[in-house]
């Protein structure tokens, strides 16, 4: 061996390195381990910290996509909706959506035709069919609205769906790490050599893999250009969607779909029992997706539309919270045949679907990139990604079926579980038990195993035993990781509470470091 030349340890080489810890990356990691692959997943910040925690939190077919003729996408999404009702049973719940009818926007025949397709494009075993209904004055809608159409879709906790998939991957042997940024990817002797910077330890490390999967969402194109030897086959068009959180607008567990004269629709959705979530907007975005915030114009747009439908009038003082996410839409370049030049496609031609590309030039190890995607179809996308690796990797038959439950949904009987946890831990408030069961499902037993001895309240409804669980089992590192993405307790926390939580986390880390030094 020549001086200075290193030997790659094939035993430590991963089959797949996934960059990006949103829903697509998490789903791909779960599916890759399900096919017997050795997997590493690295996320530059926290899991689900961008688009995957800033969605409308819906598992749906996309009723409005029917207007654009995207029947295949809707059919696939409707099929996946049924699968997720079983697979993520502790995180998902059926929800009825009411579309108040305004004849000058969409005629009844058009709505009825769309809902008929929505009911029948895919097999529906659990959810109720659509119907036309009269509006009750108690619903709080304007008096001129007398008719509505009601159909079924589902609500889901998007960030916790990401965590559940990552837990599934880790249980099957995947290396899963957040706050680990991939800062360089290069070819070395038929493999990907990936340099990773761990922001928690300030250390760099190198991992090798046979395939590199780019699941960075809004950063898909820029990741290729900045951190790999390749160039992106697609341009990315970024679109920002913003949501407002306001006090609960009406009684009932149903949601509303509000039509606007610009042909957009806005959802008003019950949120965390106490609030209503209003969204989303759909505007072009430039810049770093991490910096996306809700503009005054978006707030005014959402409040104005809501006020057109509800008797209770809202203004900016009613906005308790807001959040914005950036959705990536992939853009092909259309060729101008007159002068053989390429020009960008129009916004209307951009697909709301997803696309997978594989780049492997001159026998270089393959780079797979996910462009676009929807929360609802993440599992189907993940299956397609791993299927596309067949020419490059030896895949085992799937270890589990598509409907196999994620951690937390295994053997779930929600009402029984609620009673069991209440009986086993009478010191916990009923609201605490209900929240824990809703968040963790059957994994709640791992959360509360030390509830009697570690019952100190850190902030709000967060006890020491839950904090320990989140740090040790769900990769929680900062206060925001815990209160915004893992628990949704930020509505009960002020700045001082968050500071106390950060201090508690710092003390915990110092204590662990001291133990390691000993």
């Amino acid at each position: 061996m020549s001086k200075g030349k290193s030997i790659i340890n094939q035993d430590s080489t991963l089959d797949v390195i996934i960059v990006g810890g949103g829903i697509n990356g998490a789903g791909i990691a779960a599916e890759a381990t399900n096919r017997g692959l050795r997997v590493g997943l690295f996320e530059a910040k926290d899991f689900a910290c961008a688009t995957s925690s800033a969605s409308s939190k819906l598992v749906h077919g996309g009723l409005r996509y029917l207007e654009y003729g995207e029947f295949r996408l809707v059919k696939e999404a409707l099929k996946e909706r049924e699968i997720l009702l079983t697979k993520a049973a502790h995180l998902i719940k059926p929800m009825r959506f009411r579309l108040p009818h305004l004849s000058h926007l969409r005629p009844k025949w058009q709505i009825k035709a769309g809902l008929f397709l929505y009911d029948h494009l895919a097999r529906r075993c659990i959810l109720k069919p659509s119907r036309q209904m009269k509006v009750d004055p108690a619903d709080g809608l304007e008096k001129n609205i007398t008719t509505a159409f009601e159909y079924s879709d589902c609500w889901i906790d998007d960030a916790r769906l990401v965590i559940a998939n990552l837990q599934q991957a880790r249980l099957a042997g995947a290396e899963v790490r957040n706050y680990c940024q991939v800062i360089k990817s290069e070819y070395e002797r038929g493999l990907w050599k990936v340099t990773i910077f761990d922001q928690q330890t300030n250390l760099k490390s190198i991992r090798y893999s046979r395939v590199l999967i780019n699941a960075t969402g809004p950063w898909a194109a820029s990741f290729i250009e900045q951190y790999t030897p390749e160039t992106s086959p697609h341009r990315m068009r970024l679109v920002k969607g913003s949501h407002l959180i306001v006090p609960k607008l009406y009684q009932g567990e149903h949601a509303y779909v509000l039509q606007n004269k610009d042909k957009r629709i806005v959802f008003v959705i019950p949120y965390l029992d106490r609030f209503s979530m209003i969204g989303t907007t759909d505007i072009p975005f430039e810049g770093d997706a991490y910096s996306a915030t809700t503009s005054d114009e978006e707030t005014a747009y959402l409040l104005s539309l809501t006020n057109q439908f509800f008797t209770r009038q809202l203004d900016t003082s009613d906005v308790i919270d807001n959040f914005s996410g950036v959705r990536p839409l992939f853009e092909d370049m259309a060729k101008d045949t007159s002068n053989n030049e390429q020009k960008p496609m129009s916004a209307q031609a951009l697909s709301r679907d997803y696309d997978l590309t594989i780049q492997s030039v001159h026998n270089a190890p393959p780079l797979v990139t996910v462009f676009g995607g929807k929360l609802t179809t993440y599992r189907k996308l993940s299956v397609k990604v791993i299927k596309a690796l067949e020419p490059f990797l030896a895949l085992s038959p799937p270890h589990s079926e598509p409907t196999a439950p994620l951690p937390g949904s295994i053997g779930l009987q929600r009402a029984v579980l609620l009673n069991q946890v209440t009986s086993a831990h009478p010191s916990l408030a009923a609201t605490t038990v209900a929240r824990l069961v809703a968040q963790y499902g059957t994994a709640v037993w791992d959360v509360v195993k030390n509830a009697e001895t570690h019952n100190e309240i850190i902030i709000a409804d967060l006890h020491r035993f839950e904090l320990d669980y989140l740090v040790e089992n769900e990769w929680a590192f900062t206060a925001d990781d815990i209160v915004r993405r893992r628990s949704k307790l930020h509505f009960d926390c002020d700045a001082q509470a968050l500071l106390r939580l950060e201090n508690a986390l710092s003390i915990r880390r110092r204590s662990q470091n001291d133990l390691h030094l000993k």
Side-chain angles (χ1 to χ4, degrees):
M1 184 178 71
S2 61
K3 186 177 179 180
K5 187 174 182 180
S6 62
I7 297 176
I8 298 174
N9 183 354
Q10 294 291 332
D11 290 338
S12 65
T13 298
L14 297 167
D15 294 311
V16 171
I17 284 180
I18 302 164
V19 186
I23 189 58
N24 286 337
I28 293 167
E31 181 59 26
T33 56
N34 190 41
R35 300 299 299 273
L37 300 178
R38 289 180 291 181
V39 176
L41 182 145
F42 304 98
E43 160 60 44
K45 294 185 181 290
D46 186 31
F47 301 124
C49 71
T51 308
S52 293
S53 61
S55 74
S56 296
K57 309 184 192 312
L58 300 180
V59 169
H60 64 139
L63 179 62
R64 69 184 180 92
Y65 298 144
L66 293 174
E67 285 190 312
Y68 302 102
E70 298 213 48
F71 298 108
R72 187 207 60 78
L73 176 60
V74 174
K75 183 176 182 178
E76 180 176 280
L78 290 172
K79 287 182 178 179
E80 289 301 301
R81 184 185 66 180
E82 288 286 311
I83 290 173
L84 289 178
L85 277 164
T86 300
K87 190 175 187 70
H90 69 300
L91 300 175
I92 192 171
K93 62 181 179 182
M95 185 173 283
R96 296 292 277 176
F97 287 74
R98 295 180 183 176
L99 193 157
H101 179 245
L102 297 176
S103 58
H104 65 283
L105 295 179
R106 289 176 177 87
K108 285 185 179 181
W109 69 263
Q110 184 181 9
I111 296 173
K112 287 180 179 179
L115 290 175
F116 178 84
L117 285 172
Y118 206 66
D119 281 344
H120 295 91
L121 271 175
R123 186 179 180 187
R124 175 177 41 79
C125 300
I126 301 172
L127 300 176
K128 297 177 181 178
S130 60
R131 67 181 181 120
Q132 183 176 331
M133 60 178 292
K134 289 185 177 181
V135 171
D136 190 318
D139 290 338
L141 295 175
E142 288 287 349
K143 292 181 180 179
N144 64 314
I145 302 172
T146 59
T147 302
F149 294 87
E150 189 179 70
Y151 65 94
S152 293
D153 264 323
C154 299
W155 181 93
I156 197 164
D157 188 325
D158 48 7
R160 293 211 59 81
L161 181 65
V162 173
I163 294 296
N165 276 274
L166 292 171
Q167 288 176 320
Q168 177 102 331
R170 181 177 59 185
L171 286 169
E175 177 184 353
V176 178
R177 296 166 63 189
N178 57 351
Y179 294 101
C180 286
Q181 182 180 7
V182 171
I183 57 176
K184 189 175 184 180
S185 305
E186 56 193 323
Y187 308 136
E188 185 171 305
R189 281 167 280 172
L191 296 172
W192 280 104
K193 178 184 177 182
V194 178
T195 305
I196 301 155
F197 176 68
D198 188 329
Q199 298 167 55
Q200 298 183 45
T201 62
N202 290 322
L203 296 175
K204 291 182 182 179
S205 61
I206 291 174
R207 302 292 275 126
Y208 289 90
S209 74
R210 295 176 173 83
V211 176
L212 182 64
I213 297 178
N214 171 16
T216 56
W219 298 273
S222 61
F223 175 82
I224 297 173
E225 301 286 345
Q226 295 179 35
Y227 301 111
T228 81
E230 302 286 356
T231 56
S232 176
H234 289 307
R235 289 187 179 183
M236 299 300 295
R237 188 80 64 88
L238 301 182
V239 176
K240 182 178 67 165
S242 296
H243 297 78
L244 308 179
I245 306 297
V246 300
K248 194 168 186 178
L249 265 175
Y250 54 89
Q251 296 303 311
E253 295 302 312
H254 57 281
Y256 281 100
V257 185
L258 310 183
Q259 306 174 79
N260 200 10
K261 58 186 178 182
D262 62 5
K263 295 297 184 180
R264 282 200 48 75
I265 61 171
V266 166
F267 294 105
V268 181
I269 303 169
Y271 189 55
L272 301 180
D273 298 326
R274 296 181 286 163
F275 310 112
S276 292
M277 181 173 68
I278 304 171
T280 179
T281 54
D282 190 10
I283 62 174
F285 179 82
E286 294 182 358
D288 186 0
Y290 288 128
S291 66
T293 56
T294 306
S295 67
D296 292 342
E297 292 77 13
E298 289 175 289
T299 299
Y301 176 90
L302 294 173
L303 292 178
S304 174
L305 181 58
T306 305
N307 288 339
Q308 291 174 39
F309 283 83
F310 288 91
T311 55
R312 179 179 173 184
Q313 299 292 286
L314 300 172
D315 60 35
T316 54
S317 66
D318 294 301
V319 178
I320 297 168
D321 194 14
N322 63 74
F323 61 89
S324 300
V326 175
R327 183 177 180 184
L329 305 177
F330 66 89
E331 177 180 25
D332 285 307
M333 297 298 290
K335 183 175 286 188
D336 184 342
T337 55
S338 63
N339 55 16
N340 204 36
E341 291 183 354
Q342 289 185 324
K343 58 183 180 180
M345 296 176 67
S346 66
Q348 289 76 18
L350 293 177
S351 176
R352 265 58 179 174
D353 207 340
Y354 56 82
D355 188 45
L356 311 176
T357 66
I358 300 179
Q359 296 170 268
S360 182
V361 182
H362 304 305
N363 296 318
L367 168 64
V368 180
T369 300
V370 177
F371 290 96
K374 283 167 52 70
L375 179 70
T376 305
T377 54
Y378 87 90
R379 191 204 65 86
K380 188 70 172 179
L381 179 151
S382 303
V383 170
K384 289 181 179 179
V385 169
I386 303 306
K387 180 76 173 173
L389 300 184
E390 284 185 339
F392 308 99
L393 299 172
L395 303 178
S396 302
H399 296 158
S400 61
E401 295 299 316
T403 56
L406 292 166
S409 288
I410 301 170
L412 179 67
Q413 293 179 285
R414 193 181 300 271
V416 173
L417 181 61
L418 193 63
N419 289 332
Q420 289 175 336
V421 176
T422 300
S423 297
H425 297 280
S427 63
L428 295 180
T431 53
T432 301
V433 174
R435 179 180 65 81
L436 294 176
V437 169
Q439 282 183 202
Y440 303 106
T442 52
V444 70
W445 294 116
D446 293 326
V447 181
V448 301
K449 64 181 181 182
N450 295 320
E452 302 309 315
T453 56
H454 294 69
N455 205 18
E456 171 195 353
I457 294 178
I458 307 299
I459 58 167
D461 190 38
L462 180 72
H463 294 70
R464 172 71 63 181
F465 65 84
E466 186 181 6
L467 175 63
D468 291 344
Y469 175 85
L470 290 171
V471 172
E472 294 168 8
N473 296 278
E474 292 195 1
W475 306 277
F477 185 67
T478 71
D480 260 8
D481 297 348
I482 291 169
V483 301
R484 286 197 171 270
R485 288 175 287 280
R486 305 301 192 280
S487 69
K488 309 297 186 296
L489 288 174
H490 60 284
F491 292 105
D492 300 312
C493 299
D494 56 19
Q496 288 185 335
L498 291 176
L499 182 60
R500 290 200 304 274
L501 178 55
E502 286 288 7
N503 289 337
L505 289 167
S506 296
I507 292 169
R508 195 180 191 285
R509 285 194 291 269
R510 286 198 298 270
S511 176
Q512 288 180 326
N513 289 337
D514 290 343
L515 287 175
H516 289 317
L517 290 174
K518 292 178 181 179

